[in-house]
Amino acid sequence: MQENKIIITISGLDKIGIVSKLTAVLAEYKVNIEDIKQTIMQDYFVMVLLGDISKSDKSFKEIKEAILKVGEELQMEIWVQKKQIFDKMHTI
């Protein structure tokens, strides 16, 4: 179901542990990673992740806050959106 899908976008200077720290939080909150794309553009790490939160006992808001905290710790930009909102924003 669309309402159980989230899109996470993360970007910033590349450093060790980005994927590890993010995926540890996702596992803790029982978010299933359905798709993930990442690249390094010069010294910048960029990743887009599709997750399924249907098995989580936490709310979207709680999951989002935990993910944003990882961004602060890593000093990176992170956006977390429900997929249905993301899709609407990118429909012409």
Side-chain angles (χ1 to χ4, degrees):
M1 295 176 75
Q2 286 282 39
E3 63 265 8
N4 292 322
K5 308 290 183 180
I6 62 171
I7 302 284
I8 301 167
T9 307
I10 182 168
S11 64
L13 286 174
D14 189 31
K15 57 188 77 156
I16 294 170
I18 298 168
V19 175
S20 173
K21 287 182 181 177
L22 178 61
T23 56
V25 168
L26 296 178
E28 178 183 344
Y29 282 74
K30 297 183 179 116
V31 177
N32 185 46
I33 298 170
E34 293 192 342
D35 199 358
I36 187 170
K37 304 269 188 274
Q38 69 181 51
T39 191
I40 305 294
M41 297 186 332
Q42 296 186 354
D43 292 331
Y44 283 87
F45 175 89
V46 179
M47 181 175 76
V48 179
L49 183 148
L50 173 64
D52 180 348
I53 63 172
S54 63
K55 301 274 195 275
S56 182
D57 56 354
K58 305 292 184 189
S59 70
F60 169 75
K61 183 179 178 188
E62 291 171 303
I63 294 167
K64 181 177 180 175
E65 287 171 356
I67 294 167
L68 293 177
K69 186 176 178 199
V70 171
E72 289 173 15
E73 291 169 3
L74 292 169
Q75 298 179 324
M76 300 186 81
E77 292 286 331
I78 295 189
W79 297 271
V80 183
Q81 296 174 290
K82 292 184 177 184
K83 185 176 185 305
Q84 62 195 32
I85 302 297
F86 183 88
D87 289 346
K88 294 260 188 237
M89 288 175 43
H90 294 89
T91 301
I92 297 176

